Amino acid sequence: DYPSVVVQVEYAAIPSRRSDIYMEFHTGEKLAIDLHRGSISTAKWDNKHMDYKNADIKDLWFILGQPYERKERNMPFFHQIMLNENLNNTAVFLNPVTELVTLAKNIVYRDIRDSKEHSKVFKREYSLEEIRILPTGKLECDFDLLYMKSREDFMGMFSDQLNEPPQMKFAS
């Protein structure tokens, strides 16, 4: 469903940097898609991400599996979300068996008055047909809208409990 796009599998657009899927759009934009089966060090991700950035190639990172599966526990959620800074720190999981994509993002409420922190993970599953990968590496779907609604509801729980607007800091 991507007319006029050149797609290559296991392609090295940059010497010594192979991407699982490489897309070159008719507009000249380039996108590298990396699929990770296990943990990736922060240093390795930083280096590869900077190499892509320096070559004017956007990058999109998928973690193969489901959030919180046993095999994924060796990669802390912090590392999972940092893989996709162009998606506002949203973790993207791909289950190759079910062909479902799960997007997950943390919601954090910090009350300055008592230094308590409350958090939850917001996640939604999509079939591959329900999302569109854009040349920018962003995913087109309703996730951001649903996330914002969930965040408002989550923050509202605390302001309702306190009967006054909370002093809060949002983490993204």
Side-chain angles (χ1 to χ4, degrees), residues 151-170:
R151 188 174 104 171
E152 286 174 21
D153 292 347
F154 186 69
M155 299 302 174
M157 287 184 344
F158 297 101
S159 83
D160 290 347
Q161 290 173 3
L162 300 171
N163 288 327
E164 58 184 68
Q167 298 174 8
M168 60 186 143
K169 178 181 176 184
F170 295 104

Side-chain angles (χ1 to χ4, degrees), residues 49-88:
H49 175 68
M50 287 309 297
D51 287 347
Y52 284 142
K53 189 174 185 173
N54 291 336
D56 201 26
I57 300 172
K58 302 292 183 191
D59 52 339
L60 177 61
W61 300 72
F62 285 84
I63 301 162
L64 294 179
Q66 284 294 319
Y68 314 116
E69 275 186 5
R70 182 180 192 103
K71 67 180 181 178
E72 304 302 336
R73 289 186 184 154
N74 61 348
M75 184 187 292
F77 189 73
F78 169 75
H79 291 150
Q80 295 171 8
I81 63 172
M82 70 177 278
L83 292 177
N84 286 303
E85 66 179 18
N86 62 325
L87 292 177
N88 295 321

